[in-house]
Amino acid sequence: MKIEGTYTFKAPQEKVWETFNTVEHLQKALPGCEKLEETEPGKYDVYLKIGISAVKGKYKGKFEIADPQPPNSYKLVGQGKGLPGYVKGEALISLSQDGENTVLAYDGDVQVGGLLAGIGQRMIGGISKMMLEQFFKSMDDILK
Amino acid sequence: MKPTAFEYFTPTTVQEALQLLESQGDEAKIIAGGQSLVAMMNFRAARPEALIDINNIKELDYFREEGDEIVIGALTRERTLEVSPLIKEKCPVLAKAITHIGHLAIRFRGTVGGTLVHADPTAEIPVTSLALDAKMKIVSPSGERVLSADEFFVTYLTSAVEENELLVEVRIPTFPSKTTAWSYVDISRRFGDFAIVGVATILSMDDAGVCKEARIALGGVAPTPVRAKDAEALLAGQKLTGELIEEAAIKAAEGDNVDPDSDYHATAEYRKAMAKVLTKRGLTEAWTTFEGSK
Amino acid sequence: MSGEKKKWVGTSYKRKEDMRLLTGRGTFMDDILLPNMKHAAILRSPYAHAKILDVDISEALKAPGVIGVVTGEDVKQESKPYPCGVTIPTKYYTCAVDKVRFVGEPVAVVVAENRYLAEDALDLIEVDYDPLDAVVNIEKAIEPDAPVLHENIGSNVYNHRFFKYGTDWDTLCQEADEVVKWKFNFPKYAGSPIETYGVIATYNAYDKSYVVYNNYQGPFVNHALTAMALGVPENKMRWIIPTDIGGGFGTKTGIYPYCALMAIVAKKTGVTVKWIEDRREHLMASATCTDRVTYIEAAVSKEGKILGLKDKAMDTSGGYIRPPEPGCAYRSTGNHTGAYDIRNLDREVYIVATNKGLTAPLRGYGCQELYFSTERITDMAAAKLGMDPAEIRFKNFIQPEQMPYTTATGGYYDVGNYPAAFKKCLDLVEYEKMREYQKKAREEGRLVGIGLASVTDPSVTNIAYVAIGKTAEERKNERDKSGSGEAAIVKVDPLGGITVICSTNPQGQGHETVISQIVADEFGVHPDQVVVDSVVDSSDRLYSITTGSFSSRFASSGTTAIVRASRQCLEKAKKIAAHLLKIDLEDVVVEDGKFFGKDNPEKAIKLRHIAGAAHWNQYDLPEGMDAGLFGTSLWTMPTSRPPDAQDRVNSSNTYGFVAEAIVVEVDKETGEVKFLKWASVHDAGTILNPQIVRGQVLGSIVQAIGGSMYEEQAYDENGQCLTASFADYLCPTAMEMPKVDVDHFESPSVLTALGSKGAGEGSSMSVPPAIGNAIADALAPLGAVVDELPMTPSKIWHLINDATAQTN
């Protein structure tokens, strides 16, 4: 499932880049993040507890900030597994300055498997978007 | 599949239910009709550690007319409203919408509160509640708040009701047949299935056949039900004609808030096209039925 | 001779099964409770394709109520891979060993005190998967860069064969006035019986034998193959199938690997294990029909004669290939050219591996896939020639004077009048009137279409069809395979009661009733006096590799075995009667349950007396005669020969005929389809019980509507199953069932005792092409083409809009 969109931060590009590469900020902003550990530079182990309505689950996963081109773009590659199934995703994150603001564009792909694929396909796009919005909003709060 | 083990509570008052929500924490879930929750539990998609069964809270099972509104307790069964003479007379669009919900057996158990909190954007009562501008009363240990339908639905399967809150009542305005042209139309793969797209239409008409106010709510074209504001504005204050209805239907489908997803059953283009087709059919049905009854 | 005057056969005798079924007193798998029985739950793969690096069951073993856990490694130690009728070295174990190859594939089994606790323990099993790319598209699977599922095979090709019958294709194309070609896609869908799979297995460690209760429907070749897989003599693996099965439709031919799995689990854990499949498991990992890509060409003369067909059909049996595949491609060999006199055929067959659920026969087994392309191309040829689709069919039917007719591919049609039966269908739907109606509707801009289909309905498979998966050269090295046997034992007890025990195991078709009618006619008793034991126990009844209730064989093959066993028993009864009445055998008359001399009807004795003599006074029986009174038969149809060196095989034994005529209207705006009129005419030979046959016809119609418009086992490109619940796998309900006018055309088979052919599958094969043709006809003015199923409103809408956009 393709997901794409933009979010505008009221902050200069350098600052946005820095914030997005700081582990503590990521941990705070990621919805349902219980633990985030950098295992190697740019590689993280993550424990999330997320869900929609009654469908909640704990996910153990890894993600990587790959191919960084500071302060313009990087590729985010991640996967997580939990009882409801697994999630795999890859997105290109690009930043660009727009006056005093920074526009973040994401363009990627989310795959789900297991129970989620069987009963939640229709909603994956909408829910991924919602979680991303939540994440960006929290990052925005941190930036302020 | 079999559900995971859970604690089971049967409060008899709202206060008791709220206390349980507080004490059991965010792993507890309210169960009313169970028509959505039990299936999720059997799939083990939902694994609540506690179920708070509110079916014994009699104070939530009521509905009555209050002035030019009807108040409905959250525990009211869908079937009750479907066959109620009061609803059929004072808010027939709701009774009709309910006939589209699943099958009869489901409507005997499903509750108004349950389907609203479940917040499926294609579900009949959420879509109709948005057309009605319904008001939802939510209580928590710290008090109560009232949300409009617009504020109530957040995204797919997500309402604004927090973990420690309970939806207790819904308040809807009356739209009697004499002065309202109304309809509920939808399209689904089989009879009784989840709608692919559904449209609730409520037109307040005057004696001269002018549409004073139009309300068109669409389900299945976005993560929540949406109102076709541009189409509504086009119709307001106008005499209804075939051309006007066609134009309104086009506007409804092209609204910014119409952004459906594709899935196995239907593409996004199809859903968008059905938004137009059903808006047109809904308006036409509402109008011709109203004219025919005069 | 008794049995010629039919009092009961041919009547709608009320079904004996219904009272117990409707009041909840049937005995299904889940009703069987054995002492100290424990419960199994299966851990299934969430990945379509992945290596299994590790399966850690340590936490699961500690969970409350858990008795044991079995993994793929255990299964590999305790069993051998299933043999299969292809030459590639298949390795199908009933539990994943080193790799998973489809979502839902078993990875481990937990046994616990109850199913709830077993599922809790599943959550604690940690499997370390290394995900691999998946392939779900049949054509992509044979591209050079496709992920390969079975490294030991080296490619995704399970089977690939060529067949040529008659004149070669290129020569034919030169003779033809037109060659019409198209590509068709047929979907993957399931039988969805109300009752899912159920297995109870026990192992006796002292004599190393298994008892496995299960709801299998045959063929019993898989009993033998399972014994081979488990490494036990076949008589040390007893299968017991309960009285009632809640629907089979072919899907329950695919349960046998779970029988092996639970047998191994019982052995490893040392307890009696029950496993009842839940619906999600069933929708992902039981069995469906194959989906198929067909490239087909028809060479036709300008008069409308189909000179020959060329087709390339590509099937997939999913992540593994297992028996009775490659039957999906070969079951229909004998009737490939259907009801038409086509002598020239050029065939290419592929069966490939994809990361999807496994296949098994599904009502119609291969014929719905086949006829969808042949009947659609027939309509396309008609359109090309400017000919009415009914007319082109009349031009090509095998004529009644040509019967018995041997098809180009070796099928033996013994009897039939296709033009007359087809005309009956056209008359029933008021064809001319409907074409007038369509003309007027089109003038109003409405999309009304008429779809026809006319097909031969093969039943009683000849097991030889499986051998066609190998070339004649390859077949030379093995024993020939052939046969279609079904068995019956008819016995009369000391008090004169008749009990019938068959090798067919009904799943709701009403066999008990029909058997009672038949035996009542043979013996001149009332059907209520006949008792049928539907429990199939491999230890105590006759069976063979071909027996079971599949391919509509009960009505023709099964009933003939019953008649033969009855008549064998009656012959003995007559001998005893002659002995007791002191008359000659030729003078014995049997009428209304009484035995008497033809010259002395008043001195009659009843069956009861004869049974009494046979059991109670054994010394006084004719010299050399065994005591007791019974008859047995394991009858194989004489037309079940092995394939010949030219790859011709009579893949079935009785061939009926089905004609469908469907009138539809497509809503231009929504793509929804409404059925306006529907006529279905069947030639199933002699009708044994009209009410039951009507049920079969309507049932196959609604099931085919499912596959044509609602049902699909669908996957995304990563091999995730999108339809693993009834929210998304849509079976038609009573509300989707249209009114259908059903009629019959009886041309009794000359091969079976009662003249009956099969009636169970019929419309499963003819309805998908008829619906395809109907919607295509409706959309024809727009230039849109229908070449796939299911035809959903969304798909139809896109066809309409794409076509409209092109013309604009």
Side-chain angles (χ1 to χ4, degrees):
Chain A
M1 160 131 285
K2 275 203 77 60
I3 51 163
E4 54 189 355
T6 60
Y7 193 94
T8 305
F9 296 94
K10 288 191 173 60
Q13 191 166 332
E14 289 285 348
K15 190 150 179 245
V16 174
W17 176 269
E18 210 188 285
T19 312
F20 268 76
N21 279 278
T22 313
V23 181
E24 293 78 41
H25 295 327
L26 287 176
Q27 171 148 13
K28 243 177 114 181
L30 264 172
C33 183
E34 292 185 332
K35 198 163 98 172
L36 184 61
E37 239 172 63
E38 186 163 16
T39 51
E40 276 172 54
K43 292 202 167 111
Y44 303 87
D45 275 353
V46 63
Y47 296 81
L48 298 174
K49 192 167 130 180
I50 46 176
I52 297 301
S53 171
V55 183
K56 297 187 201 127
K58 289 202 177 128
Y59 293 80
K60 188 169 95 174
K62 294 186 188 314
F63 74 87
E64 188 189 329
I65 294 180
D67 205 22
Q69 317 273 333
N72 297 316
S73 70
Y74 63 76
K75 218 161 92 165
L76 193 58
V77 181
Q79 39 128 325
K81 212 168 83 117
L83 290 174
Y86 69 83
V87 183
K88 236 170 90 165
E90 206 178 281
L92 179 66
I93 313 283
S94 357
L95 303 179
S96 59
Q97 196 76 47
D98 178 21
E100 289 182 346
N101 300 332
T102 305
V103 176
L104 179 149
Y106 60 91
D107 183 356
D109 207 87
V110 177
Q111 258 182 55
V112 290
L115 195 60
L116 292 170
I119 59 175
Q121 274 285 340
R122 169 161 67 109
M123 297 172 263
I124 298 302
I127 290 174
S128 307
K129 265 196 166 143
M130 190 193 76
M131 287 180 51
L132 276 168
E133 297 284 308
Q134 250 179 358
F135 171 57
F136 291 142
K137 189 161 178 310
S138 304
M139 290 301 265
D140 208 0
D141 291 340
I142 291 170
L143 278 163
K144 286 188 175 124
Chain B
M1 290 180 89
K2 306 290 185 207
T4 51
F6 53 89
E7 296 280 340
Y8 180 64
F9 301 96
T10 54
T12 53
T13 66
V14 171
Q15 277 315 305
E16 229 189 297
L18 288 175
Q19 273 158 21
L20 283 165
L21 278 171
E22 202 66 40
S23 62
Q24 295 301 314
D26 65 356
E27 293 302 330
K29 194 86 178 81
I30 301 281
I31 184 166
Q35 297 304 292
S36 307
L37 182 58
V38 172
M40 290 289 112
M41 287 176 66
N42 284 335
F43 279 122
R44 294 197 169 206
R47 297 157 178 257
E49 286 172 8
L51 280 188
I52 301 167
D53 184 336
I54 59 170
N55 287 292
N56 297 308
I57 304 182
K58 296 205 188 338
E59 59 180 295
L60 289 178
D61 188 4
Y62 62 90
F63 69 101
R64 59 182 174 268
E65 201 172 0
E66 277 184 12
D68 59 358
E69 290 182 318
I70 298 175
V71 289
I72 306 170
L75 206 54
T76 310
R77 306 285 167 188
E78 289 155 358
R79 177 65 174 175
T80 307
L81 298 178
E82 181 186 348
V83 300
S84 151
L86 173 67
I87 303 293
K88 284 193 189 168
E89 195 202 326
K90 294 291 171 75
C91 192
V93 67
L94 180 62
K96 174 66 165 42
I98 289 174
T99 62
H100 289 250
I101 298 176
H103 299 276
L104 191 58
I106 294 170
R107 304 198 290 274
F108 270 97
R109 291 292 307 159
T111 62
V112 171
T115 182
L116 285 169
V117 174
H118 185 64
D120 184 325
T122 65
E124 292 76 359
I125 292 180
V127 172
T128 309
S129 72
L130 188 63
L132 291 168
D133 278 333
K135 304 277 180 277
M136 284 74 160
K137 180 154 85 169
I138 300 163
V139 301
S140 73
S142 36
E144 64 179 51
R145 59 197 184 111
V146 174
L147 294 180
S148 65
D150 191 45
E151 301 164 311
F152 186 81
F153 301 109
V154 174
T155 185
Y156 286 112
L157 307 188
T158 311
S159 73
V161 176
E162 299 287 347
E163 302 277 3
N164 65 339
E165 292 181 316
L166 189 63
L167 171 68
V168 293
E169 181 184 273
V170 181
R171 184 173 285 270
I172 58 175
T174 53
F175 285 96
S177 287
K178 275 213 186 70
T179 49
T180 319
W182 58 268
S183 71
Y184 190 90
V185 294
D186 69 8
I187 188 167
S188 59
R189 296 241 1 230
R190 297 174 305 178
F191 180 86
D193 277 343
F194 296 105
I196 294 175
V197 174
V199 181
T201 303
I202 304 174
L203 309 172
S204 301
M205 309 292 287
D206 74 11
D207 297 323
V210 168
C211 169
K212 294 187 298 190
E213 182 206 44
R215 297 161 177 236
I216 303 168
L218 289 87
V221 297
T224 67
V226 296
R227 288 274 292 265
K229 293 274 182 211
D230 293 337
E232 292 171 359
L234 186 73
L235 295 167
Q238 302 295 326
K239 237 188 145 98
L240 295 176
T241 65
E243 295 77 35
L244 191 65
I245 286 177
E246 169 82 20
E247 231 189 295
I250 293 172
K251 272 209 187 307
E254 284 169 11
D256 287 334
N257 53 10
V258 171
D259 184 26
D261 286 317
S262 290
D263 75 356
Y264 166 69
H265 296 290
T267 61
E269 295 85 5
Y270 180 76
R271 287 170 204 272
K272 195 155 172 199
M274 288 312 103
K276 170 180 180 281
V277 170
L278 291 181
T279 300
K280 179 173 170 183
R281 290 187 182 186
L283 285 168
T284 307
E285 186 185 310
W287 182 37
T288 44
T289 314
F290 184 72
E291 290 294 310
S293 68
K294 283 208 309 225
Chain C
M1 178 169 163
S2 166
E4 271 159 11
K5 191 177 75 187
K6 300 271 177 275
K7 187 170 170 190
W8 299 108
V9 167
T11 67
S12 289
Y13 191 76
K14 280 209 168 16
R15 287 173 32 128
K16 292 171 130 184
E17 297 87 337
D18 289 350
M19 276 313 291
R20 69 171 188 266
L21 292 176
L22 294 173
T23 57
R25 277 167 172 73
T27 308
F28 297 88
M29 272 309 303
D30 207 8
D31 293 313
I32 300 176
L33 306 171
L34 297 180
N36 297 314
M37 196 173 70
K38 308 297 176 194
H39 298 264
I42 300 177
L43 181 69
R44 295 177 180 276
S45 170
Y47 291 98
H49 196 196
K51 291 200 191 113
I52 299 176
L53 301 174
D54 186 52
V55 181
D56 183 355
I57 60 172
S58 51
E59 288 304 306
L61 285 169
K62 296 184 215 156
V66 168
I67 288 144
V69 182
V70 171
T71 66
E73 276 307 314
D74 295 319
V75 169
K76 186 174 175 198
Q77 276 167 31
E78 295 291 335
S79 65
K80 297 194 265 284
Y82 270 90
C84 183
V86 289
T87 53
I88 51 146
T90 62
K91 275 214 166 70
Y92 174 55
Y93 289 100
T94 82
C95 185
V97 179
D98 56 333
K99 259 181 117 178
V100 290
R101 296 177 172 88
F102 64 96
V103 164
E105 184 176 358
V107 173
V109 182
V110 169
V111 178
E113 291 296 333
N114 61 53
R115 178 66 178 242
Y116 298 81
L117 294 175
E119 292 195 13
D120 288 347
L122 289 185
D123 288 344
L124 300 173
I125 300 178
E126 285 280 341
V127 183
D128 193 6
Y129 293 102
D130 181 13
L132 302 166
D133 286 337
V135 59
V136 296
N137 179 288
I138 290 174
E139 292 185 278
K140 287 215 169 81
I142 56 172
E143 281 169 12
D145 58 348
V148 171
L149 273 72
H150 298 271
E151 287 80 2
N152 69 318
I153 298 173
S155 78
N156 287 328
V157 178
Y158 289 140
N159 187 245
H160 184 205
R161 282 217 56 196
F162 294 89
F163 302 83
K164 294 198 197 310
Y165 306 92
T167 308
D168 77 277
W169 182 250
D170 292 326
T171 308
L172 214 57
C173 283
Q174 285 168 24
E175 287 171 25
D177 294 310
E178 298 281 359
V179 177
V180 187
K181 52 172 101 156
W182 205 264
K183 172 184 173 186
F184 294 99
N185 288 305
F186 197 88
K188 188 173 175 13
Y189 57 93
S192 300
I194 293 181
E195 184 202 26
T196 59
Y197 290 165
V199 179
I200 304 176
T202 74
Y203 178 70
N204 181 326
Y206 301 108
D207 65 7
K208 297 191 177 42
S209 69
Y210 295 96
V211 178
V212 184
Y213 293 77
N214 60 78
N215 46 24
Y216 185 54
Q217 66 175 99
F220 265 69
V221 60
N222 289 321
H223 179 259
L225 297 181
T226 302
M228 285 167 70
L230 289 175
V232 290
E234 194 176 351
N235 58 0
K236 296 246 172 153
M237 187 186 71
R238 181 177 189 176
W239 279 13
I240 302 176
I241 298 164
T243 314
D244 295 301
I245 298 180
F249 312 112
T251 305
K252 292 205 167 101
T253 60
I255 190 185
Y256 66 85
Y258 288 111
C259 297
L261 181 59
M262 291 305 153
I264 294 168
V265 170
K267 182 178 179 191
K268 294 293 299 185
T269 57
V271 295
T272 301
V273 178
K274 181 186 226 180
W275 172 68
I276 300 294
E277 186 189 43
D278 68 39
R279 184 60 58 181
R280 190 175 135 74
E281 298 183 275
H282 189 81
L283 289 172
M284 286 193 302
S286 60
T288 66
C289 67
T290 176
D291 44 328
R292 178 178 291 185
V293 174
T294 310
Y295 290 88
I296 184 168
E297 305 182 41
V300 297
S301 74
K302 61 180 183 295
E303 292 81 22
K305 196 88 179 63
I306 301 172
L307 304 174
L309 294 174
K310 177 175 182 190
D311 68 61
K312 175 164 97 172
M314 305 171 71
D315 287 355
T316 177
S317 60
Y320 298 88
I321 184 165
R322 60 181 187 179
E325 309 301 21
C328 51
Y330 302 117
R331 182 269 175 117
S332 55
T333 305
N335 58 294
H336 192 102
T337 49
Y340 309 131
D341 187 11
I342 301 171
R343 305 308 307 175
N344 308 302
L345 174 65
D346 187 308
R347 256 193 105 188
E348 186 181 355
V349 173
Y350 267 104
I351 304 177
V352 308
T354 55
N355 295 107
K356 297 197 281 200
L358 308 185
T359 58
L362 171 69
R363 198 174 193 175
Y365 197 24
C367 295
Q368 54 266 50
E369 291 91 338
L370 167 70
Y371 290 143
F372 182 68
S373 47
T374 55
E375 287 293 286
R376 283 291 298 123
I377 205 78
T378 299
D379 265 29
M380 286 177 166
K384 194 81 188 274
L385 298 171
M387 198 178 265
D388 183 293
E391 195 191 340
I392 199 174
R393 287 173 166 81
F394 279 116
K395 289 238 156 74
N396 284 283
F397 281 135
I398 297 162
Q399 296 301 313
E401 348 22 300
Q402 290 176 280
M403 295 296 182
Y405 176 91
T406 303
T407 69
T409 49
Y412 181 78
Y413 296 170
D414 62 332
V415 69
N417 189 337
Y418 306 151
F422 186 62
K423 181 167 186 307
K424 196 167 189 184
C425 182
L426 294 179
D427 291 342
L428 191 57
V429 86
E430 298 183 287
Y431 189 65
E432 298 304 326
K433 201 161 140 203
M434 286 298 112
R435 283 288 179 205
E436 277 304 310
Y437 176 83
Q438 178 184 44
K439 193 150 158 256
K440 286 208 183 74
R442 280 179 169 167
E443 284 160 13
E444 295 165 19
R446 289 162 57 203
L447 301 175
V448 171
I450 304 177
L452 305 173
S454 49
V455 306
T456 49
D457 172 5
S459 37
V460 191
T461 45
N462 170 7
I463 210 90
Y465 77 77
V466 183
I468 283 275
K470 300 185 179 161
T471 63
E473 264 312 300
E474 288 161 348
R475 294 198 298 270
K476 276 206 192 116
N477 303 324
E478 335 182 309
R479 182 202 284 123
D480 274 344
K481 289 201 181 54
S482 70
S484 53
E486 282 301 336
I489 299 171
V490 176
K491 57 180 193 168
V492 184
D493 57 49
L495 297 183
I498 305 172
T499 303
V500 186
I501 302 156
C502 299
S503 57
T504 45
N505 37 2
Q507 312 110 38
Q509 298 95 324
H511 290 180
E512 206 180 303
T513 305
V514 175
I515 294 170
S516 302
Q517 291 172 255
I518 294 170
V519 173
D521 272 344
E522 293 296 313
F523 286 86
V525 299
H526 191 276
D528 281 351
Q529 295 173 272
V530 179
V531 169
V532 178
D533 176 12
S534 296
V535 173
V536 172
D537 184 327
S538 61
S539 284
D540 70 14
R541 66 188 51 204
L542 299 173
Y543 71 89
S544 182
I545 62 161
T546 52
T547 61
S549 294
F550 60 98
S551 82
S552 316
R553 63 203 300 107
F554 166 77
S556 30
S557 179
T559 57
T560 303
I562 292 161
V563 167
R564 288 169 68 88
S566 300
R567 290 181 187 177
Q568 191 187 83
C569 181
L570 271 166
E571 271 311 296
K572 183 170 178 177
K574 282 161 72 181
K575 286 192 178 120
I576 296 173
H579 177 73
L580 293 174
L581 295 169
K582 301 197 191 348
I583 57 179
D584 288 332
L585 181 58
E586 310 84 68
D587 295 336
V588 176
V589 177
V590 188
E591 205 175 278
D592 284 340
K594 293 202 272 279
F595 296 69
F596 50 87
K598 70 176 198 288
D599 299 321
N600 198 356
E602 292 82 48
K603 191 166 172 223
I605 49 176
K606 292 202 170 137
L607 186 67
R608 205 176 71 235
H609 302 122
I610 297 178
H615 286 287
W616 297 83
N617 190 9
Q618 300 172 15
Y619 181 73
D620 193 44
L621 288 170
E623 192 164 331
M625 183 187 272
D626 278 4
L629 187 58
F630 55 88
T632 62
S633 174
L634 204 170
W635 185 70
T636 188
M637 293 188 72
T639 41
S640 305
R641 282 188 292 278
D644 68 17
Q646 286 75 45
D647 287 327
R648 286 178 299 218
V649 64
N650 189 23
S651 43
S652 298
N653 288 276
T654 59
Y655 295 88
F657 176 82
V658 184
E660 307 284 348
I662 307 177
V663 185
V664 303
E665 178 159 7
V666 175
D667 183 324
K668 247 200 291 220
E669 292 185 319
T670 64
E672 290 167 299
V673 175
K674 206 162 66 171
F675 294 106
L676 301 180
K677 208 164 199 287
W678 189 318
S680 183
V681 169
H682 291 246
D683 177 357
T686 306
I687 295 178
L688 305 173
N689 181 319
Q691 183 188 21
I692 287 179
V693 170
R694 184 175 167 76
Q696 287 283 37
V697 171
L698 294 177
S700 58
I701 286 175
V702 74
Q703 206 158 24
I705 290 175
S708 307
M709 300 173 69
Y710 297 97
E711 300 180 42
E712 188 179 9
Q713 187 188 46
Y715 291 87
D716 70 14
E717 65 205 359
N718 301 308
Q720 289 299 317
C721 183
L722 302 174
T723 50
S725 81
F726 275 153
D728 294 307
Y729 187 91
L730 306 178
C731 295
T733 69
M735 300 302 286
E736 282 72 49
M737 180 64 183
K739 179 175 175 302
V740 180
D741 295 315
V742 178
D743 205 346
H744 295 276
F745 186 96
E746 282 178 68
S747 43
S749 169
V750 300
L751 300 169
T752 62
L754 301 171
S756 46
K757 306 175 196 175
E761 290 168 271
S763 289
S764 315
M765 311 172 183
S766 52
V767 166
I771 288 180
N773 280 339
I775 298 173
D777 192 42
L779 302 183
L782 300 173
V785 180
V786 171
D787 54 23
E788 67 171 69
L789 297 173
M791 275 286 110
T792 66
S794 179
K795 278 195 196 160
I796 293 174
W797 181 87
H798 277 277
L799 279 177
I800 293 171
N801 274 270
D802 291 343
T804 315
Q806 271 182 25
T807 50
N808 286 352

